[in-house]
Amino acid sequence: MWISLIVGALVIAGLSVYAGMLLSRLRQQNKGIAKNEKKRLHYLHESIETIAKAMQQDQCPLSEGCIRIAVLLENLPQAERHNFSSRWPSIHDMYERIKHMPTHEARKEFPKKEIRKMDLERERFEVELEQTIKDDLHTLVIWVKEERVKQI
């Protein structure tokens, strides 16, 4: 009977040590995941801020910047909860108006006449929305800076 108790205690001790090792690994994995998520969030915020500032300084076309920012905002955690499209409606409006237009290699498949037509339409949208987009950019840059401070 004593032998059974000793064997049982050894089995329980062994399983406890194993469970402790598994918990330790789980904690390390969770720390790694949190660190990677923080790094990803920092990258997204930094990218949004860089593009927004480039747009403010006329170093990036408004249409291109709106596409990039809208996609980056969609990739932020809990984007639906933040309702970015209503916070910065002009950026979202520009994105919605031009997201169907081909870019990069897909653009080369269209005739030059069609490309010019799309470019004129895009430029018209840029002129029409310029001031409201720049207003949105101002509040967006402030928001991004606040979000980055929260991460620290």
Side-chain angles (χ1 to χ4, degrees), residues 4-122:
S4 297
L5 285 174
I6 292 172
V7 170
L10 288 174
V11 168
I12 291 172
L15 289 174
S16 297
V17 168
Y18 183 66
M21 289 171 36
L22 290 177
L23 280 174
S24 176
R25 276 194 213 158
L26 181 61
R27 283 190 194 112
Q28 285 177 333
Q29 283 180 338
N30 287 338
K31 283 181 185 178
I33 290 169
K35 181 180 177 184
N36 288 340
E37 182 59 26
K38 187 175 181 178
K39 189 185 288 187
R40 179 180 170 273
L41 199 55
H42 176 77
Y43 172 78
L44 289 170
H45 286 138
E46 186 177 53
S47 297
I48 292 167
E49 184 177 14
T50 301
I51 294 166
K53 286 181 177 180
M55 291 168 67
Q56 287 176 324
Q57 298 167 4
D58 297 323
Q59 296 175 352
C60 173
L62 294 177
S63 55
E64 181 182 341
C66 287
I67 289 172
R68 292 173 185 267
I69 287 175
V71 170
L72 289 168
L73 288 171
E74 288 175 5
N75 282 295
L76 287 172
Q78 301 176 357
E80 311 84 39
R81 185 178 64 96
H82 289 291
N83 200 7
F84 296 128
S85 61
S86 65
R87 287 179 101 168
W88 301 291
S90 296
I91 292 172
H92 185 72
D93 186 20
M94 174 64 88
Y95 173 70
E96 287 298 320
R97 290 183 186 195
I98 63 173
K99 70 180 182 182
H100 69 280
M101 294 180 181
T103 59
H104 305 94
E105 292 299 316
R107 186 174 162 94
K108 294 177 183 176
E109 296 174 11
F110 284 82
K112 289 184 181 192
K113 186 176 182 180
E114 186 69 25
I115 291 172
R116 278 194 299 276
K117 181 181 173 187
M118 287 186 283
D119 287 345
L120 288 173
E121 184 179 23
R122 182 181 45 78

